Amino acid sequence: MNATITTTMPAWLNDDYGPAGATRQEMVPTPEPGPGEVLLRVRATALNAADVHLMHGDPLLMRLMFGLRRPKQKIRGIDVAGTIVAVGADVDESRIGDEVMVELGAGGGLAPFAVARADRLVTRPGGLAPEVAATIPISGGSAVQALDVARVAGGQRVLVIGASGGVGTFAVQLAALRGAEVWATCGEANRKLIESLGATRTFDYRTTDLSSIPATFDAIIDIAGGAPLRQLKRMLSPTGTLAMVAGDGGRVLGPIPRILRAVFISIGSRRSIRPVAAVAKPDINRQLIALAAEGRITPVIEQLLPWDAAAEGLARLESGHTVGKVVVLGRE
């Protein structure tokens, strides 16, 4: 490893599953990149709902993969922008010094250094700030994949349910960029913001019964996950598609029962309900970061926090009322 890289580092972590209030700073060994990996000096970390689920270990089913009794990866933060400072075997050393953004595995971004897979890296354009680039992988990537699942195209009418969060703010902009007429639900305080991002009409989710919305839709992007599926299906055009980005569910199985209900009520119907299993796709991230660099999309950042306030950022995500993204700057 490079001599300027410390052997230990402070990190924000959780030894056990639990709330953001239990997150603390602790000195841990600095990770070393293995074959096909790089070590990043973290410049910014964007927080996601996935960080909260991993922090809570919720639903319980996910613990089969991420740790039964306590998290295997104790450090939160999945989406990061950083500088390559060391490389593992099979990675070209000429990449050291490159500015990149990436989606990590289960976390590790709330620390000065993090290990990332080299095949997931996307170069960050010089004119795009690290805190902006970091917002893109999970939220932007999920939005693109949801629009693709719903086959959103120009001339269609699209409803985005839960438009003011990280995925929603990207979905509204990207659907409008495709030429769709975008309608959206959000909180009353956020309606002007969502309209500025490209929504033609907005509705306050607290006071609007979805059944009262006077239209049918070629596509519905359901990010909030709480509305009855049969109600949403009735709002679709005869060949429309509902893309489920999230879903309410039980403590054990999470959204799986809702997904199974969706499959059942879609049988024999031209109106389809499809879950969105978003995965890390560097090609999509390259497209999104180019759009951001060109100013064609604008990631919405609600809070830009110093590194020492990372636990505050996790608590904000935990509240469930974030507008756009919460980003934690790298440790100086």
Side-chain angles (χ1 to χ4, degrees), residues 226-257:
L229 291 174
R230 291 188 184 277
Q231 180 185 44
L232 296 179
K233 184 181 177 184
R234 287 194 293 269
M235 298 173 68
L236 290 169
S237 65
T239 57
T241 301
L242 165 62
M244 298 167 51
V245 179
D248 53 3
R251 170 73 169 144
V252 177
L253 298 179
I256 290 178

